Amino acid sequence: MVNEDKVRIMTAMAREEKKYGSEITENMQFFKKDYVRSHVLAVLWSYTIAYLLLFFLIIFYNINYILLNFVVIDYLTVGMVMLFSYALLFFLCVLISRIHYLEKYENEHRILEEYYDNVLKLKKIYAEDGKETEDVNTAGN
């Protein structure tokens, strides 16, 4: 006889496994602080490279103007504007990525807790089924 509770729980577990895969279990190996810090550092590394690439693209695009006005350009002001814009966007990236990865960690943690709750429910159902089978076997003797 098919136990409907087991089928429902196993279907929910299979759906979660298919939807999230092993990504959640791999990410849950980290503490929250380490998980967020590693992802924020990856975002900042990518941001720094993108900022430098954009800076060099702007220089190459305006190379004619730079070479013609090499002596007249106020490099201190240009450097301060670049540094200020980099720092402002840097802190913005830290804030946004930190919030995003904290929420992502909490969401994945909640999903994993639900999955483990389903595992415990399934174990309980199997334990009860095993006990019933044992009772039937002993009653028949």
Side-chain angles (χ1 to χ4, degrees):
M1 178 155 232
V2 176
N3 188 337
E4 290 180 24
D5 289 335
K6 278 198 283 188
V7 172
R8 258 189 254 118
I9 292 171
M10 292 172 91
T11 304
M13 290 173 62
R15 190 178 317 119
E16 288 176 0
E17 284 179 13
K18 185 174 182 177
K19 186 174 182 182
Y20 301 110
S22 62
E23 177 185 338
I24 290 179
T25 54
E26 289 174 6
N27 290 340
M28 288 298 116
Q29 294 174 358
F30 300 105
F31 291 110
K32 183 191 309 188
K33 190 176 184 180
D34 295 332
Y35 175 81
V36 172
R37 182 182 298 143
S38 66
H39 283 85
V40 168
L41 286 175
V43 167
L44 293 179
W45 177 250
S46 300
Y47 163 71
T48 301
I49 290 174
Y51 190 86
L52 289 173
L53 287 173
L54 185 63
F55 170 70
F56 286 120
L57 284 174
I58 290 171
I59 286 177
F60 288 138
Y61 182 75
N62 296 314
I63 195 74
N64 191 30
Y65 176 82
I66 292 171
L67 292 177
L68 290 175
N69 299 312
F70 190 74
V71 179
V72 184
I73 297 174
D74 184 13
Y75 292 105
L76 183 62
T77 304
V78 171
M80 293 301 277
V81 167
M82 285 178 34
L83 186 62
F84 180 73
S85 66
Y86 176 79
L88 181 67
L89 291 173
F90 184 88
F91 289 118
L92 191 63
C93 280
V94 168
L95 182 66
I96 291 171
S97 62
R98 183 170 167 76
I99 290 169
H100 172 73
Y101 285 110
L102 278 171
E103 287 178 3
K104 185 175 179 185
Y105 183 88
E106 291 296 330
N107 186 33
E108 290 177 355
H109 190 70
R110 181 187 51 77
I111 291 168
L112 197 61
E113 281 181 352
E114 290 174 5
Y115 183 81
Y116 285 142
D117 285 344
N118 285 338
V119 169
L120 291 175
K121 288 177 190 175
L122 206 55
K123 279 185 178 181
K124 185 177 177 184
I125 290 172
Y126 275 114
E128 290 172 359
D129 285 349
K131 199 181 287 185
E132 288 175 6
T133 307
E134 190 176 293
D135 291 341
V136 169
N137 288 338
T138 56
N141 290 334

